[in-house]
Amino acid sequence: MASSRRLEDGIERDFDRQLSYGDYLHLDEILGAQHPRSRPVHHDELLFIIQHQTSELWLKLMLHELVSARDGFRSDEVPLALKRLARVKHIQHTLTDQWSVLATLTPSEYLEFRDFLASSSGFQSYQYRAVEFILGNKDAEMIEVHRHDDRAAAMLTALLDSPTLYDEFLRHLARQGYPIPDEVLARDVRAAYQQRDGLLEAFKIIYSDPQQHWGAYETCEELIDIEDNFQLWRFRHLKTVERTIGHKVGTGGSSGVDFLHKALDLTFFPELYAVRTVLDPPRRRDHA
């Protein structure tokens, strides 16, 4: 067994005129973007910073994919939308798994640098808020937290004023002939989505005969996966915060764990859960 290998002759070595890996990814900027504020610098602050920076990168990609999925529903390109949602689910798994790394930060270690965070808080993540907006949990008041950042406020305002992923899916179903109530299609897209029992008829049709309505059925289940994953992320967030700071007030002024716990009651696609309650067993066919 060899303990080393020589560079192959064709491997590029001169990057004076060629684009390098580091240049393409702007690694100098990315790897130079960690600036611990604790004095003296505490060893574990780097973990805290990288955890949140990488989460923001994944949120950026998630939002990119959700916008594209929404556009897919708008143009009735369901396979494209499903491809995007499949990628979103993998991103969600990665984000959820990341909490296990931050959970290695003990309360004693975090308290060594927590005060240096001042009023900064994950609650102020405008990309997280953007993801919630496009999925249906809209709240114009949340934009006020980001008025100091023109770019963030503009992004959130645009998403507040536009249909959600679910809105476009329901409009797609209406174009396919499913009985989507007019009040749903004409709803105020600036408002947080609320359950409308009139939609249950359409979803009951879909779920009562999946083979006949496979495209719609598959999409409904993909959306359920997205919401389940989101709830798992919220729960892991809550439990990581609880094991790190207990029930202390958050650095951004929220009630901390208690505030996060309330998010577990939020839902994006309520009718997709409600339809399960009203489904009837399939009728059995008699055999001669």
Side-chain angles (χ1 to χ4, degrees), residues 124-135:
Q124 298 149 13
S125 169
Y126 69 87
Q127 291 196 127
Y128 171 80
R129 202 63 58 197
V131 168
E132 284 213 325
F133 274 25
I134 197 171
L135 289 177

Side-chain angles (χ1 to χ4, degrees), residues 5 18 21 42 45 81 102 112 118 138 165 171 203 207 212 226 276 281 287:
R5 62 177 179 176
Q18 301 282 357
Y21 174 80
H42 190 271
E45 191 177 357
L102 191 61
E112 291 284 345
K138 296 187 178 185
L165 177 78
R171 293 175 183 185
F203 288 123
Y207 275 85
Q212 183 68 27
I226 295 290
R276 285 147 166 80
H287 296 279

Side-chain angles (χ1 to χ4, degrees), residues 40 58 78 111 189 273:
W58 285 120
V78 174
L111 287 173
V189 298
Y273 288 94

Side-chain angles (χ1 to χ4, degrees), residues 114-212:
R114 186 176 189 246
D115 285 348
F116 289 93
L117 303 182
S119 58
S120 64
S121 166
F123 176 79
Q124 298 149 13
S125 169
Y126 69 87
Q127 291 196 127
Y128 171 80
R129 202 63 58 197
V131 168
E132 284 213 325
F133 274 25
I134 197 171
L135 289 177
N137 183 20
K138 296 187 178 185
D139 185 349
E141 188 179 9
M142 290 293 183
I143 300 178
E144 297 306 312
V145 178
H146 305 282
R147 285 298 179 197
H148 66 286
D149 185 335
D150 291 343
R151 181 173 175 273
M155 173 191 284
L156 292 174
T157 300
L159 288 170
L160 181 73
D161 292 339
S162 60
T164 68
L165 177 78
Y166 195 42
D167 286 327
E168 292 294 1
F169 174 54
L170 295 176
R171 293 175 183 185
H172 161 75
L173 290 181
R175 290 192 293 273
Q176 303 307 306
Y178 290 97
I180 307 299
D182 290 340
E183 65 173 34
V184 174
L185 300 176
R187 83 174 192 92
D188 178 8
V189 298
R190 290 174 56 89
Y193 188 85
Q194 299 292 327
Q195 181 173 329
R196 290 167 170 78
D197 291 339
L199 266 176
L200 292 181
E201 180 183 352
F203 288 123
K204 193 171 181 180
I205 291 170
I206 293 168
Y207 275 85
S208 294
D209 192 349
Q211 295 302 321
Q212 183 68 27

Side-chain angles (χ1 to χ4, degrees), residues 267-280:
T267 181
F268 300 123
F269 319 122
E271 295 86 7
L272 296 184
Y273 288 94
V275 72
R276 285 147 166 80
T277 304
V278 300
L279 282 177
D280 300 317

Side-chain angles (χ1 to χ4, degrees), residues 37-56:
R37 298 177 67 89
S38 56
R39 294 294 182 270
V41 174
H42 190 271
H43 174 84
D44 295 305
E45 191 177 357
L46 185 62
L47 159 64
F48 191 83
I49 293 172
I50 289 178
Q51 165 84 23
H52 289 83
Q53 287 181 338
T54 53
S55 293
E56 288 296 331

Side-chain angles (χ1 to χ4, degrees), residues 68-86 165 168-173 175-176 178 213-220 222-223:
S68 181
R70 183 184 63 178
D71 292 344
F73 288 137
R74 182 180 296 151
S75 58
D76 296 325
E77 296 179 87
V78 174
L80 172 66
L82 292 179
K83 169 65 176 178
R84 302 298 188 244
L85 294 182
L165 177 78
E168 292 294 1
F169 174 54
L170 295 176
R171 293 175 183 185
H172 161 75
L173 290 181
R175 290 192 293 273
Q176 303 307 306
Y178 290 97
H213 306 277
W214 186 260
Y217 173 76
E218 181 184 13
T219 306
C220 289
E222 287 291 306
L223 292 175

